[in-house]
Amino acid sequence: MLDVAIIGGGPAGLSAGLYATRGGLKNVVMFEKGMPGGQITSSSEMENYPGVATVMDGMSFMAPWTEQCTRFGLKHEMANVEKVAKNSDGSFSIFLEGGKEEKAKAVIVCTGSTPKKAGFKGEDEFFGKGVSTCATCDGFFYKNKEVAVLGGGDTALEEAQYLANICSKVYLIHRRDEFRAAPVTVEKAKKNPKIEFITSASVDEVYGDNIAGVKGIKVKLKDGSIRDLQVPGIFTFVGLNVRNDVLKGEDGKFICDTLPTGQVRVNLKMQTNIPGLFAAGDLREDAPKQVVCAAADGAVAALSAMSYIESLH
Ligand code: FAD
Ligand code: NAP
């Protein structure tokens, strides 16, 4: 039986792993379906983590986190967790893809969030063939070409600037005139001569063919007219959905309390309403969706899980 099972290896999961192992727990496994690091590894620029004055890309920023945790004994199992269930003896079962089951005294769920779809015609058909949600991953394919970015949040505005360093021009398309992104980020983007803002506009359609991929996009403007942008790539940054599937029971209902929007309800100790089950990071209610906050949540959850395990004796 594991002491603690951590599900997800982003900033929250890694920080939980560090605190749980360094705090003396011997048998802690972090189940992460990919490489640890989480969604920040798709960011081109990380500059607001307190104490880290060097601006770096998300992948470089997260690399030492895993190294530090494993030094204290955190085990990483590369596995996709399908479900978590509470057993009648108070333990938890963690069901992995492929049929394997693990048992743990406590579980910390840190599955974070994933990019939302924008919903325009051609989005699914051309995903990976010109439609992307990761500028760091795919920006280079559009070196010296024109691209479009959709969205008005921090991600869209920051990634538009990253793309402007590589591409010849970036069209920033947003459905309103006002932006959700931090004012300082908007100002910086507005000053960039390679970014053209197209506001109060929506993407109607992305078109192309199977060989060339995306050839252009049709943008509906405020006055109802259509502007045809002949770009080979569009990056969509229209927000995030929480990843909460592991907390759904056989009947499709959540095993712990959640908000109608899917975020997990926790108290200040990151405890859900199920004893021994904790949630941390972007997944939890009121998450500020920042690396520093996810990391802090992970630390709190690990300390709470240790107290919970102590209380079992
Ligand atoms: P995540 O980082 O989402 O990690 C969750 C992990 O769980 C993932 O690795 C995933 O593979 C794994 N997982 C999910 N489901 C399962 C499963 N069923 N089984 C196994 N593993 C699973 N924040 C900042 O503070 N500063 C920034 O500059 C900044 N820039 C950003 C730029 C971009 C492009 C994006 C997308 C986000 C940015 N953020 C930034 C936000 C920040 O990345 C998140 O708030 C933070 O990563 C949340 O951490 P987390 O650990 O809760 O979840
Ligand atoms: P977000 O803040 O939710 O912004 C999503 C944007 O997409 C909004 O402007 C929204 O428009 C627009 N949008 C939503 N659905 C759309 C649709 N179907 N079609 C067209 N546009 C649509 O998402 P995010 O930018 O990914 O940021 C997520 C979280 O991570 C935020 O809390 C953010 O602060 C944080 N983050 C922080 C940093 C940083 O600290 N440097 C960097 C990146 C992200 P409306 O505005 O009209 O709703």
Side-chain angles (χ1 to χ4, degrees), residues 123-197:
E123 186 175 19
D124 288 337
E125 186 187 347
F126 291 107
F127 193 82
K129 294 178 216 149
V131 177
S132 171
T133 54
C134 179
T136 325
C137 322
D138 299 331
F140 194 74
F141 297 129
Y142 305 99
K143 193 169 170 29
N144 299 327
K145 292 179 183 165
E146 296 192 349
V147 292
V149 165
L150 178 65
D154 283 311
T155 306
L157 275 287
E158 285 183 4
E159 297 308 297
Q161 289 173 76
Y162 170 77
L163 288 165
N165 291 330
I166 303 171
C167 306
S168 56
K169 180 163 186 165
V170 178
Y171 297 95
L172 190 286
I173 303 159
H174 178 40
R175 63 186 181 186
R176 293 190 292 139
D177 277 329
E178 286 172 357
F179 292 86
R180 205 171 279 274
V184 59
T185 310
V186 178
E187 281 319 303
K188 224 167 135 189
K190 280 190 170 164
K191 281 188 191 140
N192 191 318
K194 285 167 95 181
I195 303 177
E196 179 181 334
F197 280 68

Side-chain angles (χ1 to χ4, degrees), residues 7-14 31-49 79-82 110-115 133 136 155 158-159 237 240 243 245-246 280-283 288-295:
I7 305 172
L14 286 163
F31 298 94
E32 164 56 61
K33 61 184 171 185
M35 289 304 288
Q39 53 178 290
I40 190 67
T41 56
S42 74
S43 172
S44 51
E45 204 177 83
M46 175 65 192
E47 64 174 7
N48 59 358
Y49 197 84
N80 184 35
V81 175
E82 289 185 331
C110 309
T111 42
S113 49
T114 187
T133 54
T136 325
T155 306
E158 285 183 4
E159 297 308 297
F237 303 112
L240 305 163
R243 279 192 279 218
D245 282 350
V246 299
D282 275 15
L283 173 75
K289 299 198 176 102
Q290 293 288 291
V291 172
V292 65
C293 303

